[in-house]
Amino acid sequence: MKNWKEQYNEIMEKFNEQDKNKIPLCAAETYTSSYSLKALSSHIEGQYGFNKEHRKNDFIGGDTVVELKSLASNLCKNIFNSEYVNVDTMTGMSCITYTIMSLLKNDAKVLITTPNQGGHPSLPTILETLNISYDEIPYNFQKFQIDYDKTNYLIKSNKYDAIIFCQSDLLCPPQLEYFNFPKDLLIIYDCTQTLGLIAGNIIENPLKKLDKIVLVGGTHKTLPAPSCGIIMTNNNSLIEKLKDKISPEFLRYIQPNHIAGLILALIEFKEFGYN
C-alpha cells in the first residue's frame, strides 16, 4: 500500500498533467498568473487582524493585515467606483450569506433567481436556514432572460424586502434598466460570473445605476484572481450596517494571503485588463 506522501504526489501529478493539456471553457476554471499566486505562499497566512476600532485586541503583525485590507479596498474603489469595500470573505456565496445576515431580518420576504433558471443552488437553503421566505423571479425560458413585466408587477406589490440576483449559470445577466425598483427595495447582486467584465467596462457597473444595491462576487472567475470575496456598495445606510456586522461580529479570522493575491491580480488588471 502506498504511504500518505506517495498518495498525495500521485493525486497532484495526475492533476498537473491534466492541467497542462486542458483548455478551460468555464469561467470557474480561469487561470491565475504566477504573479498573483506568489502571495498565497506568504507567511502572512494565518495572521490575525481586526478593524481599526478593535486594534487594542490585535495580534503582533495585525497592522500588516489592516494595511493589506486598506490597499485592496482602495484598488476596488478605483476599479469599481465603490465607496465601501469588504474583502474579508473567501467566496461569492460567503459574500451573499454575510450580506443577507447583515441586512435582512429573519422574517423578511425576498425575490430570488432560483436553481431552475440558473440561480445558485445554495441560495434557497441559506434563506430557509435564516427563516427568510422567498418567491421566484419570473423567468422567460424561451429568451433565457428574466420576465421583466411580471417581475415589475411583483415588485409593485410592496410585499418584498429585497431582490437577490444570484445567477450561477447564466447566459444573459439581468438588464437592470428594465426594472422599476422602488427606492426602499434592497438589491443584492451577485456578479461572480461577470466581475471581470464589469471591471473591464464590458458590462455596465450596477453600482453606477442604482443606489440601494450591494454588489458581491467571488474573484476567481472572469476576474482572474485567487479565491476571495468582495462586497461593495455606495449606499450610506447599508455601509453602516455592513461595517457593524461583517467584521468582527461574524468574521474574526480571514485569509490575508488570499487578500494579498487579490491585490496583485488587481494591480495586473489595472495594467492589462482594459486591452
Side-chain angles (χ1 to χ4, degrees):
M1 182 178 174
K2 294 173 183 174
N3 63 34
W4 304 116
K5 185 178 178 182
E6 288 170 335
Q7 291 179 60
Y8 168 80
N9 287 338
E10 186 177 287
I11 292 168
M12 293 310 297
E13 283 169 11
K14 184 171 70 174
F15 169 77
N16 290 332
E17 188 61 32
Q18 180 192 56
D19 195 49
K20 277 193 306 186
N21 297 305
K22 74 178 181 183
I23 301 174
L25 298 177
C26 172
E29 295 179 336
T30 188
Y31 278 111
T32 21
S33 72
S34 55
Y35 176 68
S36 59
L37 287 174
K38 281 195 312 183
L40 297 188
S41 59
S42 165
H43 284 280
I44 200 168
E45 193 283 325
Q47 177 66 58
Y48 281 88
F50 298 108
N51 292 338
K52 288 183 180 178
E53 56 266 34
H54 300 277
R55 291 283 282 276
K56 64 181 182 180
N57 297 320
D58 275 1
F59 289 79
I60 295 171
D63 283 350
T64 305
V65 178
V66 172
E67 289 168 4
L68 277 176
K69 287 171 60 174
S70 177
L71 179 56
S73 179
N74 288 335
L75 273 163
C76 290
K77 287 176 183 178
N78 182 270
I79 293 170
F80 295 102
N81 298 296
S82 177
E83 186 61 33
Y84 169 82
V85 180
N86 181 292
V87 292
D88 291 350
T89 59
M90 279 291 288
T91 67
M93 282 315 297
S94 61
C95 288
I96 282 276
T97 304
Y98 288 120
T99 299
I100 290 170
M101 289 168 62
S102 300
L103 300 180
L104 289 173
K105 296 179 180 177
N106 286 349
D107 59 353
K109 186 165 187 175
V110 300
L111 278 169
I112 68 167
T113 45
T114 52
N116 69 326
Q117 57 182 250
H120 199 289
S122 297
L123 183 58
T125 304
I126 291 165
L127 293 171
E128 288 160 11
T129 302
L130 296 172
N131 199 33
I132 294 172
S133 61
Y134 60 87
D135 288 329
E136 179 178 87
I137 293 173
Y139 197 79
N140 187 324
F141 288 93
Q142 279 69 48
K143 295 182 178 179
F144 296 105
Q145 186 54 278
I146 290 166
D147 188 318
Y148 296 101
D149 290 337
K150 289 181 179 178
T151 304
N152 283 326
Y153 178 79
L154 289 177
I155 289 171
K156 195 176 176 181
S157 70
N158 294 319
K159 292 193 302 184
Y160 301 98
D161 301 286
I163 185 167
I164 304 175
F165 302 107
C166 185
Q167 292 173 294
S168 176
D169 303 303
L170 78 165
L171 294 176
C172 306
Q175 295 175 278
L176 298 177
E177 64 272 19
Y178 293 162
F179 289 102
N180 299 322
F181 293 123
K183 274 189 174 182
D184 58 346
L185 183 72
L186 171 65
I187 304 153
I188 301 174
Y189 188 122
D190 178 7
C191 62
T192 296
Q193 308 291 341
T194 56
L195 191 60
L197 302 177
I198 291 170
N201 298 319
I202 305 298
I203 293 177
E204 191 168 5
N205 187 344
L207 291 172
K208 293 180 179 179
K209 299 176 75 76
L210 298 164
D211 173 47
K212 199 172 181 183
I213 184 171
V214 181
L215 198 65
V216 305
T219 62
H220 60 289
K221 301 205 173 176
T222 54
L223 186 70
S227 176
C228 197
I230 302 178
I231 301 170
M232 298 179 284
T233 187
N234 288 323
N235 182 283
N236 289 330
S237 64
L238 300 180
I239 289 171
E240 290 308 310
K241 290 177 183 176
L242 291 167
K243 279 173 66 175
D244 287 346
K245 290 289 184 182
I246 294 178
S247 301
E249 191 132 332
F250 295 140
L251 277 175
R252 287 279 172 163
Y253 176 69
I254 59 176
Q255 294 284 344
N257 55 328
H258 282 251
I259 294 172
L262 172 61
I263 288 168
L264 296 183
L266 291 173
I267 291 169
E268 268 188 324
F269 198 93
K270 288 285 292 176
E271 187 72 26
F272 304 110
Y274 302 96
N275 293 338

